[in-house]
Structures are given as C-alpha cells and as structure tokens.
C-alpha cells in the first residue's frame, strides 16, 4: 500500500514539474522566434531553454520510473535529483557570499541612496560590468523605459521633490546626473549644464547626456544602481532557492521511499515463490 502511495506521489509531483519544464521551453522558443521580443527577453531565452530541458528530462525519468515501476530508471532519476540538490545548495551559498555587501549611503535631504562600486563584491562587479554583459543590460534598461516611466509619474504627481524621493536605485543612477555635478533640473530626463561646467571633474558629469537613449546609462552611478538591484534580486532568489530545495528534497525522499518499498515487495515475492507448495 505504502509503495503504491509513494509511486503515485512521485508520479503526480513529476507531472507538475514536467509541465513547468514544458512552459519554460515554450517561453524560450517564443522569445527566440518572436519579432516583438525585447532585448531583456532575448537574454532569458537560453537560460530558460536549458533550465526547461533539465526539468523536463528529470521529470520524465520520474514519471516513467514510477508509472512502469522500473528500478533502473528510478535510480537514474534519484541520481540526477541528488546532483540538482547539491547544485542548488552550492548556488544558494554562492549567492549569499557574493551579495553580502552593498550598503549605500543616504544623500542628505533627498530621500534616496547613492552607491559606490566599493560597496559590492569584486566578483559581482566583474560579472555585471564586463563589456558584453553591460551592453545587454544597458539595452534592456533602454527597452524597459525606466526613465520615461518616471517622467510620466512626475507629470501625474508633483515636481522635483517627488522626482528625487520616488527614485529606485537604478533610476537614481541612470536617469539623472549625480547631484554633486551641480546640473540644473528641468524635467525628469533633461538637466541643464551650467555655463561654468560641472562643479566637480567627475567622469559621470561628462558622461551624462540629455538624449533619452544616452542619459546616464554609461555612468558609474548607473552601474552601481544596477549592482544594488541585482544584489537585492539575488537575495530574493536565495530565499526562493531554499524553498525549491525543500520541495526537491521532499520529492527525493518520496522517491527513495518508493524504490525501497519496491525492493522490499520484490524480495517478499521472491521468498514467497521460493516456498514449497
């Protein structure tokens, strides 16, 4: 009885993950062939495809093994599940290690924080700020129209005070020049440079441009704003990974229970057949 229950649970749970894998694969294919896909979506297509295929193949092994009671397939399924568990544990620990900094400091009277590269781990800086990755992130930010959305909010609400206080770290770094440059605010995406030039000789002050495709997307302040956002998102990812890990360990334990019950039933059957009539 327990063997049947374990088998049914393994089959049902893997049917659910099988569907998740199919959704991930379908989404990746849609991003690949859709002409309307944004740069952000195209960045996701390969990771989604790989993740979807891994989930699909492992889940298929679980379904086949539980439905047809194939010990060899169940053993293979449990082996891959064990590798996934080890991988998730390592990735979760790694995520916590590379996001253990990033404090930022408040800008007096303006209600938001400014950030420095030194607030983030060297690995995270190298991963995000290398030319190839940053070009993709920059295109994604432009496609997402994060600065234009801020401008729409200002028109609906109030003026400069709301503009400054409502900013996310990315908007603070990418949608305006650093306040220490001394530029004159005109609207959300337009700042006037004083005739005397920036107050400080900083590269971010000269990198700023009022063109909506440029703004401060190549500024250090934009890069550290993105780093801070990634740091927060990865911490959330670590929490999600922990929940997924508990779920996978549960499936793994049920699978172990199913194969143990199956071996026990098989042994009892052999003993029964070996008894004299």
């Amino acid at each position: 009885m327990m063997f049947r229950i374990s088998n049914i649970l393994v089959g049902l749970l893997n049917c659910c993950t099988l569907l998740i894998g199919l959704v991930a694969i379908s989404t990746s294919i849609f991003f690949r062939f859709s002409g309307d896909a944004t740069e952000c979506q195209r960045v996701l297509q390969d990771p989604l495809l790989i993740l979807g295929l891994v989930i699909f193949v492992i889940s298929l092994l679980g379904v086949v093994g539980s439905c047809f009671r194939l010990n060899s397939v169940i053993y293979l399924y449990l082996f891959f599940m064990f590798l996934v568990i080890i991988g998730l544990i390592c990735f979760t620990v790694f995520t916590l290690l590379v996001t253990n900094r990033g404090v930022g400091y408040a800008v007096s009277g303006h209600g938001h924080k400014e950030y420095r590269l030194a607030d983030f781990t060297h690995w995270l800086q190298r991963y995000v700020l290398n030319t190839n990755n940053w070009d993709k992130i920059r295109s994604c930010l432009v496609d997402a129209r994060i600065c234009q959305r801020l401008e729409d909010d200002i028109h609906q609400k109030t003026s400069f005070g709301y503009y400054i206080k409502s900013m996310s770290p990315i908007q603070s770094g990418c949608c305006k020049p650093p306040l220490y440059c001394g530029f004159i605010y005109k609207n959300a995406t337009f700042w006037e440079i004083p005739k005397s030039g920036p107050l400080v000789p900083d590269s971010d002050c000269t990198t700023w441009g009022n063109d909506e495709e440029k703004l401060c997307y190549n500024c250090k302040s934009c890069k550290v704003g993105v780093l801070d956002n990634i740091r927060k998102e990865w911490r959330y990812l670590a929490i999600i990974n922990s929940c997924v890990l508990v779920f996978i360990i549960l499936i793994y334990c049920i699978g172990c229970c199913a194969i143990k019950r199956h071996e026990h039933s098989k042994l009892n059957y052999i003993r029964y057949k070996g008894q004299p009539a």
Side-chain angles (χ1 to χ4, degrees), residues 5-6 12 25 33 43 46 59-60 67 80 88 102 104 134 138 147 150 152 182 234 244 248 251-252 257 271:
I5 293 174
S6 300
L12 287 176
I25 293 170
F33 294 105
V43 168
D46 289 337
S59 300
L60 189 61
C67 290
F80 283 122
L88 274 176
W134 181 252
R138 185 188 179 283
C147 298
L150 183 64
D152 293 339
W234 278 30
V244 171
I248 290 177
I251 299 177
Y252 183 79
C257 181
R271 285 176 180 171

Side-chain angles (χ1 to χ4, degrees), residues 15-82:
C15 281
C16 294
T17 53
L18 192 71
L19 291 175
I20 293 172
L22 284 173
V23 169
I25 293 170
S26 301
T27 304
S28 173
I29 293 172
F30 172 77
F31 287 161
R32 186 174 296 274
F33 294 105
S34 173
D36 298 328
T38 65
E39 183 64 31
C40 300
Q41 293 170 336
R42 291 193 183 95
V43 168
L44 291 174
Q45 66 186 19
D46 289 337
L48 266 178
L49 181 61
I50 294 169
L51 180 64
L53 286 172
V54 169
I55 293 174
F56 179 81
V57 170
I58 295 177
S59 300
L60 189 61
L61 288 173
V63 171
V64 172
S66 61
C67 290
F68 296 99
R69 301 183 183 181
L70 300 174
N71 273 14
S72 58
V73 177
I74 287 290
Y75 276 122
L76 189 60
Y77 164 74
L78 291 176
F79 171 74
F80 283 122
M81 286 289 282
F82 180 75

Side-chain angles (χ1 to χ4, degrees), residues 220-256:
K220 295 190 300 289
S221 59
C222 182
K223 293 173 181 178
V224 293
V226 170
L227 283 168
D228 182 69
N229 188 70
I230 289 174
R231 179 185 63 86
K232 291 176 181 176
E233 294 297 331
W234 278 30
R235 285 188 174 178
Y236 292 139
L237 180 61
I239 296 172
I240 294 171
N241 275 350
S242 300
C243 298
V244 171
L245 191 58
V246 171
F247 177 69
I248 290 177
I249 290 174
L250 176 64
I251 299 177
Y252 183 79
C253 291
I254 294 172
C256 290

